[in-house]
Amino acid sequence: MAHHIAMTSAALLLGAGSYALVSTGSKASFIGSAALATMFGGSAYMIKQTDKVFEGCCLGAVGGLATLAVGASRYAKSQKKAVPLFLIALGLIDTPFYTRKAIEWKQ
């Protein structure tokens, strides 16, 4: 069940990055969102398809933290606050969820 959130986060990030590429031509946003989505995709794969559930949850937590950090950095620099708030919200959902799941699997 934990892999659903990672796959949803990956899809949302890829969708947002694709939209940024098409609408404004921002290759940096697309590459950054693809990198973050890859972390979540790897997390979902590790949780669902392997026996490395703890490592997959840790990767999801790190991905959430990275998404939160990117969102906070862009919030401070940007005039338009919608995209940074989206990244911050995604990071605030993923980080505590996967941290809790990693702690549960370690015990």
Side-chain angles (χ1 to χ4, degrees):
M1 178 73 174
H3 67 283
H4 289 116
I5 292 178
M7 291 304 292
T8 302
S9 297
L12 287 171
L13 285 167
L14 277 178
S18 298
Y19 177 76
L21 180 64
V22 170
S23 66
T24 64
S26 176
K27 292 179 185 173
S29 292
F30 180 72
I31 292 169
S33 67
L36 292 171
T38 301
M39 293 178 81
F40 287 116
S43 170
Y45 174 77
M46 291 174 76
I47 292 168
K48 180 73 174 164
Q49 301 293 332
T50 69
D51 60 345
K52 298 181 186 258
V53 176
F54 172 72
E55 290 85 351
C57 290
C58 288
L59 184 58
V62 169
L65 192 59
T67 304
L68 180 61
V70 169
S73 172
R74 290 195 55 196
Y75 185 82
K77 297 175 186 175
S78 178
Q79 296 297 324
K80 298 178 182 175
K81 303 297 185 186
V83 172
L85 287 175
F86 165 73
L87 294 172
I88 289 169
L90 199 58
L92 286 174
I93 292 168
D94 288 323
T95 303
F97 177 79
Y98 281 111
T99 301
R100 183 179 62 89
K101 286 292 184 184
I103 291 169
E104 285 177 5
W105 276 99
K106 194 64 174 175
Q107 292 178 350

